[in-house]
């Protein structure tokens, strides 16, 4: 079983505390949602988990391996990361861009281009029919799905995605979250997703980590973390519920 653990990590940038003594873990078979207001430290924590930043204090372990000491190529095969920023690619086909995910395994050229995982990921993200299109001509939402597709092509046991549904319409947002849920529950992957949509977080995540001011305010089942009093205190909004799903309704007076 894969386990990614952040143990008492702290991070400062430019003299400002970004993360304060954060401890969390995610295991294979689970989707963990990172939620919280803007500036809470969610993206910084995700980059620490990906090994892209080094904490000032604390440690990061993947299956008892210290991420600070493992080779980059080993980490790249174990942890696939989807950044929040979607960069418009050079004039390459959609399939060529997706196939870049196989570089983590040392595969390139026709080997990567024709790899079954590339075709599978294109199909999963609804891009198979667009595989021959120039990637730089895709819409913003299509580029977001292509970024996800490239991450899936790595076929890593850990998937980390920073706001993967921010640019997507409701149908594609549901499709993407269903993909993460299936990857965890059926593919036995460990998934961490940064989200602002509390309804999607409640529906698709097994555990939620609610962050505020660089620290973890609550960690547990969605129904516990999204309690009305916690949401009101952290987000400064009231909520109404549709069944078990909390919907932000109004600003606090």
């Amino acid at each position: 079983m894969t386990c990614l653990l952040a143990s008492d990590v702290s991070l400062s940038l430019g003299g400002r505390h970004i993360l304060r003594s954060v401890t969390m873990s995610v295991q294979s078979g689970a989707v963990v949602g990172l939620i919280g207001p803007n500036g809470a430290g969610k993206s910084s924590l995700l980059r620490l988990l990906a090994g892209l930043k080094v904490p000032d204090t604390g440690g990061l372990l993947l299956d008892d391996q210290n991420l600070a000491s493992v080779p980059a190529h080993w980490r790249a095969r174990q942890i696939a990361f989807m950044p929040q920023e979607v960069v418009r690619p050079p004039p390459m086909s959609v399939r060529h861009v997706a196939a870049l995910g196989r570089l983590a395994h040392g595969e390139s050229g026709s080997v990567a281009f024709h790899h079954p995982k590339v075709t599978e990921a294109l199909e999963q993200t609804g891009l198979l029919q667009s595989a021959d299109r120039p990637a730089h001509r895709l819409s913003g939402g299509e580029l977001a799905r292509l970024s996800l597709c490239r991450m899936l092509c790595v076929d890593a046991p850990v998937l980390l995605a920073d706001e993967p549904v921010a640019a997507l319409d409701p149908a594609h947002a549901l499709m993407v979250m269903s993909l993460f849920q299936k990857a965890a529950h059926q593919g036995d992957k460990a998934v961490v997703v940064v989200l602002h949509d509390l309804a999607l977080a409640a529906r698709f995540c097994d555990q939620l980590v609610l962050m505020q001011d660089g620290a973890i305010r609550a960690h547990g089942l969605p129904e516990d973390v999204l309690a009305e009093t916690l949401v009101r205190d952290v987000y400064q909004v009231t909520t109404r519920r549709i069944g078990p799903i909390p919907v932000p309704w109004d600003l606090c007076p």
Side-chain angles (χ1 to χ4, degrees):
M1 175 179 287
T2 297
C3 180
L4 178 60
L5 169 67
S7 179
D8 199 27
V9 295
S10 296
L11 178 69
S12 296
L13 294 175
R16 184 168 68 92
H17 293 295
I18 306 298
L19 295 172
R20 306 168 185 268
S21 301
V22 171
T23 295
M24 67 158 287
S25 66
V26 57
Q27 295 185 343
S28 53
V31 180
V32 174
L34 288 182
I35 61 173
N38 293 330
K42 303 181 297 298
S43 294
S44 294
L45 177 56
L46 201 72
R47 288 182 174 274
L48 281 183
L49 293 173
L52 301 177
K53 287 183 179 294
V54 178
D56 300 329
T57 60
L60 295 149
L61 299 176
L62 177 60
D63 295 338
D64 297 325
Q65 295 290 319
N66 188 338
L67 285 187
S69 60
V70 298
H73 65 83
W74 182 88
R75 188 178 68 235
R77 295 177 184 180
Q78 302 302 313
I79 302 174
F81 174 73
M82 177 181 174
Q84 179 180 347
E85 304 80 13
V86 178
V87 179
R88 193 163 293 276
M92 302 165 62
S93 73
V94 167
R95 180 180 281 272
H96 273 109
V97 174
L100 293 175
R102 298 304 302 172
L103 286 173
H105 298 273
E107 299 168 0
S108 60
S110 61
V111 173
F113 188 81
H114 296 290
H115 197 283
K117 283 295 177 184
V118 175
T119 300
E120 179 183 344
L122 286 167
E123 185 172 13
Q124 287 176 323
T125 53
L127 291 171
L128 188 59
Q129 300 303 316
S130 303
D132 296 327
R133 288 178 58 192
H136 66 287
R137 294 181 181 173
L138 297 180
S139 68
E142 289 171 327
L143 285 174
R145 284 189 284 139
L146 179 55
S147 182
L148 170 62
C149 179
R150 185 171 57 193
M151 180 179 73
L152 294 175
C153 288
V154 182
D155 195 28
V158 178
L159 305 179
L160 308 177
D162 194 353
E163 296 191 39
V165 300
L168 301 182
D169 59 58
H172 284 111
L174 289 170
M175 179 197 75
V176 167
M177 292 307 299
S178 295
L179 271 177
F180 285 130
Q181 191 177 65
K182 182 178 180 181
H185 295 177
Q186 298 181 26
D188 208 31
K189 296 184 183 299
V191 181
V192 183
V193 186
V194 173
L195 292 168
H196 281 295
D197 190 316
L198 300 186
L200 291 177
R203 181 176 175 188
F204 289 99
C205 295
D206 301 295
Q207 297 275 321
L208 292 179
V209 175
L210 174 61
M211 300 191 66
Q212 184 180 25
D213 298 327
I216 292 179
R217 178 66 185 272
H219 182 187
L221 297 174
E223 56 265 34
D224 297 327
V225 175
L226 294 176
E228 183 178 354
T229 52
L230 265 176
V231 173
R232 182 185 182 95
D233 188 40
V234 172
Y235 287 98
Q236 297 298 298
V237 298
T238 61
T239 59
R240 293 189 179 180
R241 287 189 174 263
I242 301 175
I245 306 297
V247 178
W249 198 256
D250 205 353
L251 296 174
C252 287

